[in-house]
Amino acid sequence: MRSGATRAPRAASRLDVFIARMSAQRALLGDVAARLDVLGPVLELGLGNGRTFDHLRLILPDREIFVFDRAVTAHPASIPDAHHMIVGEIRETLAFCDDRVMEPAALIHCDLGSGDPSADRAKAHWLAPLIAERTAPGGYVASGLALDLAGFAVLPRTPDAELGNYHLYRSPR
């Protein structure tokens, strides 16, 4: 029997979904950057290899960007300075970052999905209230996790965002 022969057919490969997610991420962040009319820093939840942080620096050059992750494994060119890199469990560091992040965020980008639906639902459950607390009035949240953000507007998604499971929210003013 061929590998995977018993799997149900899928509409898109994992590569298709990844490409759609990256395309949606770039498009959503670019769209938000072009219309961002709220004061405050940017919070990047999950540094990973640093690609999104590097992109945010280019499209939002006048914004202070704080990055949260449990460990730093990115290429050295894609790592913020020590003041803007907050290392530790995001569940803890995001809740207690007031000494470094002095004002609510104009944009929070969250790329913390694991691909495990149960783990992602659990993460979204504890993460949503922390994100809501840190978002400025009128601020945006772009996320690879579906978040239950009470009072936030759920903004329309492109076909790539649908396929790549990417979400965009705006907090009330």
Side-chain angles (χ1 to χ4, degrees), residues 35 53 58 61 96 109-110 112 146-147 151 161 167:
R35 61 180 155 144
F53 167 68
L58 289 175
F96 299 99
H109 176 250
C110 173
L112 298 174
L147 299 169
H167 310 272

Side-chain angles (χ1 to χ4, degrees), residues 3-167:
S3 174
T6 60
R7 290 188 180 163
R10 294 177 290 155
S13 70
R14 290 184 63 225
L15 179 61
D16 291 332
V17 172
F18 174 76
I19 291 168
R21 188 168 64 87
M22 292 296 100
S23 296
Q25 183 185 95
R26 185 177 65 190
L28 289 174
L29 292 175
D31 180 53
V32 169
R35 61 180 155 144
L36 196 58
D37 59 351
V38 178
L39 296 177
V42 173
L43 305 186
E44 168 72 342
L45 307 183
L47 177 63
N49 62 31
R51 280 189 303 249
T52 306
F53 167 68
D54 185 57
H55 187 67
L56 287 168
R57 287 190 298 197
L58 289 175
I59 65 172
L60 294 166
D62 297 327
R63 296 283 177 157
E64 193 170 22
I65 303 171
F66 291 91
V67 180
F68 295 73
D69 211 328
R70 71 172 65 144
V72 178
T73 59
H75 185 279
S78 297
I79 299 172
D81 62 67
H83 177 71
H84 292 92
M85 182 72 233
I86 300 173
V87 180
E89 291 297 324
I90 293 171
R91 187 178 201 164
E92 298 163 5
T93 56
L94 187 58
F96 299 99
C97 65
D98 293 341
D99 59 331
R100 285 157 94 177
V101 182
M102 305 287 207
E103 57 188 321
L107 169 63
I108 298 179
H109 176 250
C110 173
D111 193 6
L112 298 174
S114 68
D116 178 323
S118 297
D120 286 349
R121 279 192 307 276
K123 188 177 294 175
H125 180 75
W126 61 257
L127 189 58
L130 292 172
I131 287 175
E133 182 180 316
R134 295 278 170 213
T135 307
Y140 292 87
V141 175
S143 177
L145 296 171
L147 299 169
D148 183 10
L149 296 167
F152 281 58
V154 178
L155 301 180
R157 299 196 294 172
T158 64
D160 274 348
E162 288 284 341
L163 178 60
N165 198 31
Y166 229 81
H167 310 272

